[in-house]
Amino acid sequence: MRIVKERALMEDNPLHQILHPTSIAWAGASNNFQKMGTIQLLNLTKGGFKGAVYPIHPSEKTVLGLPAYRSARDLPEVPDLAVLVVPTRVVAPLMEDLGRRGVKRAIVTSGGFREMGPGGRRMEEELAEVAGRHGMRFVGPNCIGVINERCRLNTTFFPLRDEEPGTVGMASQSGTYVTQTQLYLKNRGIRFSKAISVGNEANIDVIDCMEYLAADEDTRAVLLYLEGIRRGRRFVEVARRIVKNKPVVALYVGGTEAGARSGTSHTGALAGDDGIYNGMLTQSGVLRAGSVEELYAWGITLASQPPMRGRRVCLLSHSGGPVTSMADACERAGLVLPVFSDGLQGRLRELLPATAAAANPVDLTFSIDQAVLAKDIPQRVLESNEVDGLIIHGIMGSSFREILARQLKDFIDVPIQFMEDIDHGLLGELVTFPQRYGKPVLCSSFMEREDNCTRYLQDHGIPVFYGPEKAVQAMAALARYGEMCRR
Amino acid sequence: MRIVKERALMEDNPLHQILHPTSIAWAGASNNFQKMGTIQLLNLTKGGFKGAVYPIHPSEKTVLGLPAYRSARDLPEVPDLAVLVVPTRVVAPLMEDLGRRGVKRAIVTSGGFREMGPGGRRMEEELAEVAGRHGMRFVGPNCIGVINERCRLNTTFFPLRDEEPGTVGMASQSGTYVTQTQLYLKNRGIRFSKAISVGNEANIDVIDCMEYLAADEDTRAVLLYLEGIRRGRRFVEVARRIVKNKPVVALYVGGTEAGARSGTSHTGALAGDDGIYNGMLTQSGVLRAGSVEELYAWGITLASQPPMRGRRVCLLSHSGGPVTSMADACERAGLVLPVFSDGLQGRLRELLPATAAAANPVDLTFSIDQAVLAKDIPQRVLESNEVDGLIIHGIMGSSFREILARQLKDFIDVPIQFMEDIDHGLLGELVTFPQRYGKPVLCSSFMEREDNCTRYLQDHGIPVFYGPEKAVQAMAALARYGEMCRR
């Protein structure tokens, strides 16, 4: 019943058609590859989008090899969506034409509106008026576009990665955070389900997006980048309804004088006092990230891991430094490191070398037995009733091994592939633990995505952070989310 | 005079011979590649160390192809340094033999001492007594070893990168932070000058290391990872003497109950109240990092950039989101974003598109002219008297361009190499600005080291951070260091 209702809500939402068009009219691309609009259209067509695409161009016969149409009137059918990447003054007249042709959904990438002061504000009002008159709903203006990985829809200037759709849905008042960050996210194993750059929010705003992403089945956590919210009361209403079923994380940067000033010239956002926003986010059950990095990191964590049922953490590593860094960070973040019972310590000691510490943190010291680190200890810890979550530092494979193999090549052959198969066998069990035990497992490593173990874990739902304290912060987010859900 | 004095201090320091040996006796390697000691010796010999190496082995004739010696007595000369990777109980007797043979310097990797409780503590005291009797100085026990990039000395289990020596010197109470982090550091363009894992500090401690690194010419910033300091008063004395000539950054993780407990079982460190340590670090003029990431990031920043002479920052980007994130972070970090004078705004507007913001932050919006972003605006901003430092977000080259080229290949050839040459020409000027104007320049980018521009900047002394807020935190460290130097 709930699902049916959510689906109905979703299909009602103006974003549904914008994110699932079967045909798109595109104004502002040409055969000049110096132009943003051309690069955007290229990304759409080369990116695997299967629908019809109709370039609108006043003079060219074809655009990027596609037949072009001189105006909205000449389009061979009424497209589900129009994308406008045209000079500011042309936007409203073109929307008028599109409206008359029966187009109901649009994305306006063009800038030069409210963010430019009074003159731009008037043009934005005119644009909104035209759309209203024709019953059109649109994203933008002054936005970068949208991404729906599921149907390979990408209207931004940044190419899509050739991968499966992800689980993190994002609505952003900055286009950068859905485009330029693609490679950064790739290096951390994070993929979008949907992403929407909302721009000036003249028609569809970040709250509409949050509502849509909450109902979207591919999306398991909703991320918001905010410079300001106009409909504060509505934000709280919608967020409150959503958060117990789907976590929402927000980065709000308009709360300082400098942030507010910068935001105004960026998207004309109406920033407000940091304390008031903080209260609003807390009241709504939205987790507030402190940086772009945390926004994404907590997003993938909440999307992939069960919330903590308490605040008790086990730290596990063969590296004393990182566990000590994590222990310190845990206490600062309000997480608890219980000293394990004699019974559990006994069960762990059976697996540990003599020099190891079993009380929690569990420090294997010089042991390099991956099975102990990545499977046996985790299992015994998680099946106990003594912890609510586990952080492992130092699972690693190919990155160190390949360097070692080069050093060893005069003496022995290191069976790289064989060892990777063993890694993946062990990790194949570890990745099932969060669901099996209902407790989150996070990893920290200084071996990034070039390492087969890091890749395997990230690609199978265990976040791997490049820094021990980051894993702790993400675990603390799972604790806060768990507490919020139980309230 | 100062230099002569520093050099004398350096050569007096017991670490000098440990870091510049011409001959090394090695106990604990064999031809078994499962053994830590073997891997360590392999790294030493394969890593480019030019001195003589004498394996000590009770039965093998050769170890890793080198002639082996049955005992310290049998060594063909008195080596400058001995490295011990042998079982705990063998350490003291072997040190006795080495001492009798006249060896004066050692590194004891073996664990099982103080960190294991009373029995281990007694063995550590015995070890110290033996060394004392023979006038030997040693690093460890329970340490990972040392690195001197300049003479390709690496006694750790992690191979050295095949690169020029760096500018960041590290002394660490965790071996992990000088070994496992090598690839992490590589991905951020950070290289060590020297690195020392101090272990249990039974003889040479982190203060000796700090003193040595302060005098070392290759080292431009000193990093400390601390779980506890035993000689608190001495730490303050030494740090105070050092910091005005060379910045010192410390990460202290023993200040919470959990951190202290973890540290005790790690290196037996004597942790203390966070507030007391904080006072001690502040009093000493040591910058306190909040995470491992900050430790390294601030280290490379302080090693490569002049300190800020005030707190005024210019933020420059073509991405509104990151500049707004940075503006917010600046204010939180106590940095100031001055609104530029009409004169300066006018000079910047000559270079900017109409939609751009010139007041500070300077937001180029959709302009993708790299010369404006990476050279022309920076120059005009830095030569003004209106800022004390500059952060640029979004200089990028090959990473985006190569994806784009793949999309474009049916239509045009993107002249990748030609465009990289242009990038490097522009950046070649930018990297001279910090010295020319006496003001720091930091960058932020979501394009990591796979991008030619990120690589070029990092390799020519401009730190590039993968996250806008991180660049701001590093700039704030430069402001605090500047203030400390002026006091």
Side-chain angles (χ1 to χ4, degrees):
Chain A
M1 192 59 200
R2 142 150 258 127
I3 288 167
V4 173
K5 196 176 146 211
E6 290 286 322
R7 186 182 293 271
L9 268 175
M10 187 170 72
E11 292 182 2
D12 256 13
N13 190 303
L15 282 159
H16 189 68
Q17 267 183 291
I18 291 176
L19 288 163
H20 298 84
T22 58
S23 51
I24 301 175
W26 193 285
S30 65
N31 295 307
N32 176 353
F33 295 103
Q34 305 284 326
K35 293 286 180 191
M36 184 73 83
T38 308
I39 297 300
Q40 286 174 259
L41 180 57
L42 187 73
N43 281 334
L44 179 72
T45 56
K46 293 275 172 188
F49 176 67
K50 300 280 182 247
V53 178
Y54 307 117
I56 298 176
H57 196 282
S59 55
E60 299 276 7
K61 285 264 187 306
T62 64
V63 168
L64 302 182
L66 296 166
Y69 302 86
R70 298 195 55 171
S71 72
R73 281 183 306 285
D74 302 314
L75 293 172
E77 63 169 318
V78 179
D80 288 345
L81 175 68
V83 178
L84 290 77
V85 198
V86 296
T88 317
R89 62 190 160 64
V90 185
V91 172
L94 183 54
M95 282 288 273
E96 178 70 43
D97 288 355
L98 289 161
R100 288 190 186 159
R101 185 72 177 85
V103 176
K104 295 295 180 201
R105 299 286 181 267
I107 295 169
V108 182
T109 297
S110 318
F113 292 90
R114 182 159 50 93
E115 79 279 11
M116 293 301 291
R121 178 178 296 272
R122 273 194 302 279
M123 286 199 283
E124 189 164 310
E125 283 162 3
E126 191 194 340
L127 167 63
E129 184 276 322
V130 170
R133 194 149 31 74
H134 293 288
M136 298 170 84
R137 301 296 308 271
F138 66 96
V139 173
N142 187 30
C143 76
I144 296 280
V146 304
I147 293 167
N148 178 359
E149 297 257 4
R150 175 66 63 188
C151 57
R152 306 293 301 169
L153 172 73
N154 172 24
T155 75
T156 81
F157 70 91
F158 210 96
L160 270 196
R161 286 141 57 187
D162 199 14
E163 289 172 0
E164 287 295 293
T167 54
V168 165
M170 181 151 188
S172 176
Q173 289 175 345
S174 158
T176 293
Y177 295 141
V178 304
T179 50
Q180 268 185 38
T181 52
Q182 289 278 353
L183 298 174
Y184 169 93
L185 294 172
K186 180 178 183 159
N187 288 343
R188 284 149 188 83
I190 303 172
R191 287 162 292 147
F192 289 132
S193 49
K194 272 93 181 163
I196 305 143
S197 155
V198 296
N200 291 1
E201 306 174 282
N203 183 286
I204 288 171
D205 73 0
V206 76
I207 302 170
D208 297 316
C209 297
M210 175 166 68
E211 214 164 3
Y212 183 79
L213 294 170
D216 173 51
E217 284 173 27
D218 286 336
T219 300
R220 297 212 205 124
V222 179
L223 306 190
L224 308 175
Y225 168 78
L226 303 173
E227 296 181 354
I229 300 172
R230 263 171 260 166
R231 301 187 292 156
R233 192 181 302 252
R234 178 73 182 151
F235 180 88
V236 174
E237 269 171 35
V238 171
R240 275 195 171 160
R241 179 164 56 75
I242 290 170
V243 290
K244 293 209 177 180
N245 297 306
K246 200 172 280 188
V248 180
V249 188
L251 174 63
Y252 173 61
V253 295
T256 56
E257 188 277 330
R261 194 171 88 214
S262 177
T264 303
S265 71
H266 177 212
T267 54
L270 285 172
D273 178 81
D274 202 63
I276 292 173
Y277 267 74
N278 208 47
M280 189 168 80
L281 295 174
T282 309
Q283 224 185 80
S284 315
V286 172
L287 296 174
R288 184 175 181 185
S291 64
V292 181
E293 174 176 60
E294 280 188 355
L295 181 67
Y296 293 126
W298 297 3
I300 190 65
T301 301
L302 289 155
S304 61
Q305 295 295 312
M308 285 186 89
R309 293 186 294 218
R311 295 202 150 238
R312 298 168 307 165
V313 178
C314 170
L315 301 177
L316 169 61
S317 182
H318 43 47
S319 298
V323 287
T324 304
S325 301
M326 292 197 291
D328 184 64
C330 275
E331 191 162 324
R332 290 175 201 277
L335 297 174
V336 178
L337 250 68
V339 175
F340 289 155
S341 68
D342 291 344
L344 180 53
Q345 286 198 45
R347 288 195 295 285
L348 299 181
R349 282 199 191 288
E350 293 166 11
L351 303 165
L352 293 170
T355 49
N360 189 24
V362 181
D363 181 355
L364 278 57
T365 63
F366 286 102
S367 164
I368 47 166
D369 185 339
Q370 189 103 298
V372 173
L373 179 68
K375 189 177 128 276
D376 301 338
I377 301 262
Q379 183 154 16
R380 293 192 185 189
V381 165
L382 290 169
E383 73 191 8
S384 82
N385 292 319
E386 303 186 24
V387 303
D388 305 300
L390 168 66
I391 306 178
I392 310 173
H393 172 90
I395 297 175
M396 62 178 112
S398 59
S399 53
F400 175 49
R401 204 178 284 143
E402 280 165 15
I403 308 178
L404 199 59
R406 279 201 296 278
Q407 308 268 51
L408 283 168
K409 71 178 185 324
D410 298 342
F411 304 100
I412 53 166
D413 275 334
V414 177
I416 298 266
Q417 189 55 53
F418 175 73
M419 292 173 89
E420 287 198 11
D421 292 345
I422 293 181
D423 288 339
H424 296 172
L426 293 171
L427 300 181
E429 289 212 52
L430 178 63
V431 300
T432 67
F433 289 175
Q435 210 183 349
R436 190 189 308 171
Y437 300 107
K439 296 172 183 177
V441 176
L442 303 180
C443 289
S444 146
S445 178
F446 292 112
M447 309 296 166
E448 305 186 40
R449 214 165 146 84
E450 63 265 28
D451 191 276
N452 71 301
C453 291
T454 295
R455 274 199 310 278
Y456 188 95
L457 289 166
Q458 289 176 341
D459 292 347
H460 292 81
I462 307 270
V464 181
F465 299 97
Y466 307 145
E469 301 89 349
K470 295 178 211 274
V472 171
Q473 303 303 337
M475 189 60 88
L478 287 169
R480 290 201 294 283
Y481 183 62
E483 281 157 12
M484 205 269 299
C485 289
R486 289 192 297 276
R487 267 206 303 269
Chain B
M1 193 57 203
R2 145 151 255 125
I3 289 169
V4 173
K5 195 176 149 212
E6 290 286 322
R7 185 182 294 270
L9 267 176
M10 185 169 74
E11 293 183 2
D12 256 10
N13 190 303
L15 282 158
H16 189 69
Q17 266 182 293
I18 291 176
L19 288 163
H20 297 84
T22 58
S23 51
I24 302 176
W26 193 286
S30 66
N31 295 305
N32 176 353
F33 295 104
Q34 305 285 327
K35 295 285 180 193
M36 184 72 84
T38 309
I39 298 299
Q40 286 174 260
L41 179 57
L42 188 72
N43 282 333
L44 179 72
T45 55
K46 291 277 171 185
F49 177 68
K50 300 279 183 248
V53 179
Y54 307 117
I56 297 177
H57 197 282
S59 55
E60 298 275 6
K61 284 261 181 320
T62 64
V63 168
L64 302 181
L66 296 166
Y69 302 86
R70 298 193 56 171
S71 72
R73 279 183 308 284
D74 302 313
L75 294 172
E77 63 171 317
V78 178
D80 288 345
L81 174 69
V83 179
L84 289 76
V85 200
V86 295
T88 317
R89 63 189 158 67
V90 186
V91 172
L94 184 53
M95 282 288 273
E96 177 71 44
D97 288 354
L98 289 161
R100 286 189 188 160
R101 185 72 176 88
V103 176
K104 295 294 179 201
R105 299 286 180 267
I107 296 169
V108 182
T109 298
S110 318
F113 292 90
R114 182 160 48 94
E115 78 280 11
M116 294 300 292
R121 177 178 297 273
R122 271 193 304 277
M123 284 198 284
E124 191 165 310
E125 283 161 2
E126 191 195 338
L127 167 62
E129 184 275 322
V130 170
R133 194 149 32 77
H134 293 287
M136 297 171 84
R137 302 298 306 272
F138 66 97
V139 174
N142 188 29
C143 76
I144 296 279
V146 305
I147 293 168
N148 178 1
E149 297 259 3
R150 174 67 62 189
C151 57
R152 307 292 300 169
L153 172 74
N154 172 25
T155 75
T156 81
F157 70 90
F158 210 96
L160 271 195
R161 287 142 57 188
D162 198 15
E163 289 172 359
E164 287 295 293
T167 54
V168 166
M170 181 151 188
S172 177
Q173 288 175 345
S174 158
T176 294
Y177 296 141
V178 304
T179 50
Q180 269 184 36
T181 52
Q182 289 277 353
L183 298 174
Y184 169 94
L185 294 172
K186 179 177 182 161
N187 288 341
R188 285 150 187 82
I190 303 172
R191 286 163 291 148
F192 289 132
S193 48
K194 272 94 182 163
I196 305 143
S197 156
V198 296
N200 291 1
E201 305 174 282
N203 182 287
I204 288 172
D205 72 0
V206 77
I207 302 171
D208 297 316
C209 297
M210 174 166 70
E211 211 164 6
Y212 184 79
L213 294 170
D216 174 50
E217 283 172 28
D218 285 336
T219 299
R220 296 211 205 123
V222 179
L223 308 189
L224 308 174
Y225 168 79
L226 303 173
E227 297 181 354
I229 299 172
R230 263 171 263 167
R231 300 187 292 156
R233 191 181 300 252
R234 177 73 182 153
F235 180 89
V236 175
E237 270 171 33
V238 172
R240 276 195 168 161
R241 179 165 54 76
I242 290 170
V243 290
K244 293 208 177 182
N245 297 307
K246 199 172 282 189
V248 180
V249 188
L251 174 64
Y252 173 60
V253 295
T256 56
E257 188 276 330
R261 195 174 84 213
S262 177
T264 303
S265 71
H266 178 213
T267 54
L270 285 173
D273 178 80
D274 202 62
I276 292 173
Y277 267 76
N278 209 47
M280 189 167 80
L281 295 173
T282 309
Q283 222 186 84
S284 316
V286 172
L287 296 174
R288 185 174 180 184
S291 64
V292 182
E293 175 176 58
E294 280 187 354
L295 181 66
Y296 293 126
W298 297 2
I300 190 65
T301 301
L302 288 155
S304 60
Q305 296 294 312
M308 286 186 88
R309 290 185 295 217
R311 294 202 151 237
R312 299 168 308 166
V313 178
C314 170
L315 301 177
L316 168 62
S317 182
H318 43 47
S319 298
V323 286
T324 304
S325 301
M326 290 196 291
D328 185 64
C330 275
E331 192 161 323
R332 290 175 201 276
L335 298 174
V336 178
L337 250 67
V339 175
F340 289 157
S341 67
D342 291 345
L344 179 54
Q345 286 198 46
R347 287 194 296 284
L348 300 182
R349 282 200 191 287
E350 294 166 9
L351 302 166
L352 292 170
T355 49
N360 188 27
V362 181
D363 181 355
L364 278 57
T365 64
F366 286 102
S367 164
I368 48 167
D369 186 339
Q370 189 102 297
V372 173
L373 178 68
K375 188 176 129 273
D376 300 339
I377 301 260
Q379 183 154 19
R380 290 191 187 189
V381 165
L382 290 169
E383 72 191 7
S384 82
N385 292 320
E386 302 186 24
V387 303
D388 305 300
L390 168 66
I391 305 178
I392 310 173
H393 172 88
I395 297 175
M396 62 180 109
S398 59
S399 54
F400 176 48
R401 204 178 283 144
E402 281 166 14
I403 308 177
L404 198 60
R406 279 200 295 278
Q407 309 269 47
L408 282 168
K409 71 179 184 324
D410 298 341
F411 304 100
I412 52 166
D413 275 334
V414 177
I416 298 264
Q417 188 55 55
F418 175 74
M419 292 172 90
E420 288 200 10
D421 291 346
I422 293 180
D423 289 338
H424 296 172
L426 293 171
L427 300 181
E429 287 212 51
L430 178 63
V431 300
T432 67
F433 289 175
Q435 207 182 353
R436 191 190 309 172
Y437 299 108
K439 296 173 183 176
V441 176
L442 302 179
C443 288
S444 146
S445 177
F446 292 112
M447 309 296 167
E448 306 186 37
R449 211 163 148 86
E450 62 264 29
D451 191 277
N452 71 300
C453 290
T454 296
R455 273 199 310 277
Y456 188 96
L457 289 166
Q458 288 176 342
D459 292 347
H460 292 81
I462 306 270
V464 181
F465 298 97
Y466 308 145
E469 301 89 349
K470 294 178 211 274
V472 171
Q473 302 305 338
M475 189 61 88
L478 287 169
R480 290 201 294 283
Y481 183 61
E483 282 157 11
M484 203 269 300
C485 289
R486 289 191 298 277
R487 266 206 303 269

